[in-house]
């Protein structure tokens, strides 16, 4: 649970860091540097419009910079017998963590300013990173300083008229590869020079020459921005079709396949992919990839000031598989209004599901694979194995919950204290919580629940929505001094305590049970982790210092999962207010 919470919070922070690199324009202006991005790049990660990065860094809470994780790694490796290569990368990470302490430190270390733009992509298998900086020499000098401290060799040279610095990564007397940094005007480019690429590949990677076909010659960037309602400031995508084609060598002459073949040969594993590198597998894998051709992500709204940052981002698992999307859409359920509101709860989780459609959805997904006309032998074998796991029995498990449309749990406020009669045990001085079950026939679900719990047999819920106290029915170990209520609010069962719990329970009566989502999660990190740590302190449990970094950080986040006609969509919002 601890790792899950940290992953959720820091994951949203990583997303914000990746895409919080935009300005307030509402229009997309093509970036000239797209002329140097190959149209067949497997992935693309960009900041297409300038962003005041230094201002953003001053707003971003320390907890979201993840500097402590780098510090722990640096300390661990420094205590070990690290090689010069390891020391080189550790020195770079150490420079990075120190630079996060202030915008001034970051500018002095990396040469960044408040008009930051960047591109990340591939030339074949070569990763390429490019950034627009105020001072490109500052960036290179930081890398050189790390090399000097680590005894890593480097030399300044030229390639196709560009000034280039090569940092040599060696193992013993054998060179593994070069990290190559070049500059042109106010852009710095970083890539690798390896044994599996050619000099022409390196020239393209360093933006010294243009690729055979550039991304700017396609309408892909514009299409993604328009199709997925992005603002054009930041865009990223992973092309699954190109990735699959490279692995199966559908086009043996593509840069990615050619480099992959060379790399496998260098490793002595040239036959590792032979099983799927035939016409049958190339076609079958390409057909599957075409159903889920890309993962696209980008910003929809960004507002940055000296005092706060408000971001809205969207990630789409794009799909053309109408049967699967329709089945998933039919299984969408109901998410209550308060679970969609960023400002309401300390933490809230809602799961929308049409229980009657779970089995049909699973059967549809299973049947799409089990009934596909494969010729590729590994897929034929996997298909035969899948037929032994027919999910039809799932219908029996979900049948009794057929009218269920969603569940939610929201903690609005809590004050944790030590239990008066049981020292060392947490207790609640105040508690505001609401749990809901939404269904076409919520009363019928309650009657089903009564059949499993004899003590509830005589309980009848008032049809007018008034609540009954249910403390006496709570299981042992779940006692609470405050009254806990259960009420039938229209098509919703509401289980709540506290004024806020009642307030939001009462709003359910006017909410129609309709398909409006699949999942929603919101959190106020400061309030939630403060209560969590207080409870752990009273119980004498040591949760470490991972959670403490979130105390005093006024940050709220909301993550929603849903299905649209173009794929599976995750929309995120994060609001950071400077204290």
């Amino acid at each position: 649970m601890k790792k899950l919470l940290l992953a959720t919070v820091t994951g949203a922070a990583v997303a914000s860091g990746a895409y919080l690199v935009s300005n307030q324009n509402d229009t997309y202006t093509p970036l000239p540097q797209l002329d140097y991005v190959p149209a067949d790049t497997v992935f693309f990660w960009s900041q297409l419009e300038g962003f005041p990065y230094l201002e953003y860094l001053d707003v971003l809470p320390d907890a979201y910079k993840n500097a402590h994780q780098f510090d722990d790694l640096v300390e661990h490796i420094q205590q070990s017998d690290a090689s010069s290569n390891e020391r080189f990368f550790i020195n770079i990470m150490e420079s990075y963590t120190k630079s996060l302490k202030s915008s001034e430190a970051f500018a002095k270390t990396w040469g960044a300013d408040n008009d930051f733009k960047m591109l990340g992509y591939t030339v074949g298998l070569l990763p390429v990173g490019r950034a627009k900086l105020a001072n490109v020499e500052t960036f290179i000098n930081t890398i050189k300083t790390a090399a000097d401290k680590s005894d890593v060799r480097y030399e300044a040279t030229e390639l196709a008229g560009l000034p280039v610095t090569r940092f040599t990564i060696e193992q013993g007397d054998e060179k593994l590869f070069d990290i190559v940094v070049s500059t042109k005007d106010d852009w710095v480019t970083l890539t690798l020079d390896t044994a599996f690429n050619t000099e022409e590949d390196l020239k393209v990677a360093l933006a010294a020459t243009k690729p055979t076909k550039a991304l700017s010659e396609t309408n892909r960037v514009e299409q993604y921005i328009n199709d997925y309602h992005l603002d054009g400031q930041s865009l990223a995508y992973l092309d699954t079709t190109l990735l699959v084609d490279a692995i199966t060598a559908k086009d043996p002459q593509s840069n990615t396949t050619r480099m992959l073949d060379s790399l496998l040969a260098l490793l002595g594993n040239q036959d590792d992919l032979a099983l799927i590198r035939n016409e049958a597998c190339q076609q079958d894998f390409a057909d599957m990839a075409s159903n889920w051709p890309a993962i696209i992500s980008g910003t929809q709204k960004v507002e940055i000031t000296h005092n706060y940052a408000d971001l809205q981002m969207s990630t789409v698992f794009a799909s053309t598989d109408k049967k699967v999307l329709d089945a998933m859409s039919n299984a969408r359920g109901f998410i209550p209004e308060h679970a969609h509101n960023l400002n309401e709860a300390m933490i809230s989780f809602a799961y929308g599901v049409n229980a009657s459609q779970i089995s049909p959805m699973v059967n549809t997904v299973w049947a799409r694979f089990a009934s596909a006309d494969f010729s590729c032998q590994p897929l034929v074998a996997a298909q035969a194995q899948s037929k032994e796991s027919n999910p039809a029995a799932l219908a029996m498990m979900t049948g009794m919950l057929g009218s269920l449309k969603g569940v939610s749990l929201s903690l609005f406020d809590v004050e944790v204290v030590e239990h008066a009669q049981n020292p060392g045990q947490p207790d609640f001085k105040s508690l505001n919580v609401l749990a809901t079950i939404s269904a076409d026939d919520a009363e019928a679900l309650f009657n089903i629940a009564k059949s499993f719990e004899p003590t509830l047999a005589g309980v009848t819920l008032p049809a007018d929505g008034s609540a009954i106290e249910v403390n006496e029915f709570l299981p042992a170990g779940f006692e609470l001094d405050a009254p806990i209520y259960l009420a039938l609010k229209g098509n919703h069962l509401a289980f709540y305590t506290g004024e806020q719990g009642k307030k939001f329970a009462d709003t359910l009566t006017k909410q129609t049970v309709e398909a409006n989502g699949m999942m929603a999660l919101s959190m106020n990190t400061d309030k939630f982790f403060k209560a969590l740590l207080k409870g752990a302190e009273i119980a004498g449990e040591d949760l470490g210092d991972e959670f403490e970094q979130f105390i005093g950080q006024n940050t709220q986040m909301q993550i929603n999962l849903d299905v649209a006609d173009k794929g599976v969509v995750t929309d995120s919002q994060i609001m950071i207010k400077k204290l």
Side-chain angles (χ1 to χ4, degrees):
M1 182 64 179
K2 173 180 173 182
K3 296 296 184 184
L4 176 61
L5 286 170
L6 283 173
T8 300
V9 175
T10 57
V14 168
S16 69
Y19 295 111
L20 220 178
V21 206
S22 54
N23 64 17
Q24 312 311 313
N25 273 333
D26 293 327
T27 58
Y28 163 66
T29 303
L31 192 65
Q33 278 68 27
L34 295 181
D35 292 344
Y36 296 91
V37 180
D40 63 352
T41 177
V42 172
F43 84 91
F44 179 71
W45 181 37
S46 68
Q47 175 52 47
L48 299 172
E49 298 284 353
F51 165 75
Y53 192 82
L54 302 182
E55 292 181 9
Y56 156 66
L57 192 63
D58 285 336
V59 174
L60 189 67
D62 291 340
Y64 292 165
K65 297 174 183 177
N66 294 322
H68 70 287
Q69 297 179 10
F70 289 111
D71 289 339
D72 293 342
L73 181 60
V74 168
E75 183 179 357
H76 173 73
I77 295 184
Q78 285 177 339
Q79 293 174 352
S80 63
D81 186 17
S83 67
S84 59
N85 295 334
E86 290 172 328
R87 293 197 304 272
F88 176 52
F89 291 111
I90 286 301
N91 285 332
I92 292 175
M93 284 194 293
E94 189 173 20
S95 296
Y96 174 71
T97 58
K98 289 181 178 178
S99 72
L100 293 177
K101 293 180 179 179
S102 69
S103 57
E104 292 82 4
F106 196 87
K108 290 179 180 178
T109 304
W110 303 108
D113 62 2
N114 281 318
D115 186 29
F116 180 80
K117 298 177 183 175
M118 61 80 63
L119 297 170
Y121 53 93
T122 58
V123 174
L125 289 185
L126 292 182
V128 180
R130 305 191 67 207
K132 179 180 181 295
L133 304 174
N135 192 326
V136 294
E137 290 303 321
T138 297
F139 180 93
I140 295 178
N141 288 336
T142 294
I143 307 298
K144 287 180 178 179
T145 299
D148 289 334
K149 292 180 178 179
S150 312
D151 298 323
V152 167
R153 294 190 299 110
Y154 62 88
E155 64 172 342
T157 181
E158 283 192 1
L159 180 68
L162 289 179
V164 167
T165 305
R166 290 176 172 267
F167 299 85
T168 302
I169 305 302
E170 301 170 299
Q171 187 173 28
D173 296 329
E174 182 181 358
K175 184 175 81 168
L176 300 178
F177 57 87
D178 285 340
I179 298 174
V180 186
V181 184
S182 72
T183 60
K184 184 177 181 181
D185 300 324
D186 52 1
W187 282 82
V188 62
T189 303
L190 187 149
T191 189
L192 304 179
D193 188 14
T194 71
F196 57 78
N197 66 270
T198 67
E199 184 172 299
E200 289 305 311
D201 296 326
L202 182 61
K203 289 179 181 178
V204 174
L206 291 174
T209 61
K210 294 182 179 181
T212 303
K213 184 177 182 180
L215 186 61
S216 58
E217 297 177 65
T218 72
N219 67 341
R220 190 166 195 176
V221 172
E222 294 89 342
Q223 180 183 348
Y224 282 159
I225 290 171
N226 292 329
D227 286 353
Y228 302 109
H229 309 292
L230 306 176
D231 65 4
Q233 312 299 324
S234 306
L235 175 70
Y237 67 79
L238 172 68
D239 189 319
T240 56
T241 58
L242 288 175
L243 180 61
V244 166
D245 286 351
I247 294 172
T248 61
K250 188 175 182 181
D251 179 7
Q253 303 307 313
S254 76
N255 265 1
T256 307
T257 301
R258 176 176 53 79
M259 289 192 201
L260 180 57
D261 289 345
S262 297
L263 177 59
L264 291 173
L266 287 169
L267 297 174
N269 300 323
Q270 56 265 37
D271 297 326
D272 279 5
L273 298 175
L275 190 63
I276 59 172
R277 286 191 161 186
N278 53 69
E279 186 175 351
C281 289
Q282 288 164 351
Q283 188 60 53
D284 285 348
F285 276 101
D287 289 344
M288 288 195 300
S290 67
N291 288 327
W292 298 86
I295 302 172
I296 303 101
S297 188
T299 50
Q300 293 181 314
K301 173 189 174 184
V302 177
E303 293 182 6
I304 305 296
T305 72
H306 293 294
N307 299 314
Y308 74 90
D310 184 9
L311 302 93
Q312 294 180 20
M313 297 151 282
S314 184
T315 299
V316 182
F317 294 81
S319 178
T320 60
D321 195 329
K322 190 174 187 307
K323 285 187 177 180
V324 170
L325 288 179
D326 285 348
M328 295 180 68
S329 182
N330 290 337
R332 295 168 73 236
F334 174 76
I335 307 292
E337 291 177 0
H338 64 266
H340 276 304
N341 196 322
L342 184 71
N343 302 310
E344 301 294 3
M346 290 174 56
I347 186 168
S348 178
F349 175 78
Y351 177 50
V353 58
N354 184 343
S356 66
Q357 292 297 316
I358 293 178
S359 180
M361 178 188 70
V362 174
N363 275 309
T364 297
V365 175
W366 173 81
R368 289 289 285 158
F369 183 78
S371 63
D373 185 16
F374 291 134
S375 300
C376 176
Q377 286 306 308
L379 291 177
V380 170
Q383 187 181 58
Q385 187 175 3
S386 73
K387 292 179 179 179
E388 299 175 3
S389 306
N390 193 315
L394 184 64
M396 297 178 60
M397 298 173 58
T398 59
M400 67 176 62
L401 300 176
S403 70
L404 178 68
K405 292 299 185 290
V407 295
S408 75
L409 177 64
S410 298
L411 176 62
F412 300 104
D413 191 25
V414 63
E415 184 177 355
V416 182
V417 296
E418 188 170 21
H419 198 286
Q421 283 75 41
N422 299 294
Q425 291 188 15
D427 194 9
F428 303 119
K429 184 176 181 180
S430 65
L431 179 65
N432 286 270
V433 66
L434 169 64
T436 69
I437 298 175
S438 301
D440 292 332
D441 191 343
E443 187 174 12
L445 285 184
F446 180 64
N447 290 331
I448 292 174
K450 288 197 295 184
S451 67
F452 290 96
E453 181 53 58
T455 59
L456 294 175
V459 177
T460 300
L461 295 179
D464 64 358
S466 56
I468 62 172
E469 189 174 332
V470 293
N471 293 61
E472 61 181 293
F473 302 110
L474 295 178
F478 287 88
E479 296 85 358
L480 189 70
D481 291 337
I484 300 177
Y485 298 100
L486 179 64
L488 181 62
K489 301 290 186 178
N491 288 329
H492 315 271
L493 287 173
F495 185 79
Y496 64 90
T497 186
E499 292 183 5
Q500 287 176 286
K502 180 181 185 306
K503 169 188 170 183
F504 290 106
D506 289 342
T507 66
L508 292 169
T509 305
K510 297 180 180 180
Q511 296 184 41
T512 303
V513 174
E514 58 185 1
N516 63 359
M518 296 186 73
M519 193 176 296
L521 171 69
S522 66
M523 180 185 294
N524 182 311
T525 57
D526 179 61
K527 291 182 178 180
F528 177 75
F529 288 116
K530 189 178 294 183
L532 182 69
L533 288 173
K534 181 64 175 180
E537 179 186 352
I538 293 171
E541 296 182 10
D542 183 12
L543 297 181
D545 57 1
E546 293 98 330
F547 293 126
E548 291 183 4
Q549 61 184 318
F550 294 101
I551 304 301
Q553 311 289 359
N554 192 356
T555 303
Q556 296 165 291
M557 63 182 65
Q558 174 84 40
I559 303 173
N560 299 313
L561 176 68
D562 205 351
V563 179
D565 57 354
K566 294 183 181 295
V568 180
V569 183
T570 300
D571 288 329
S572 306
Q573 182 179 7
I574 184 166
M575 170 73 81
I576 302 170
K577 295 181 180 179
K578 192 172 182 180
L579 297 177

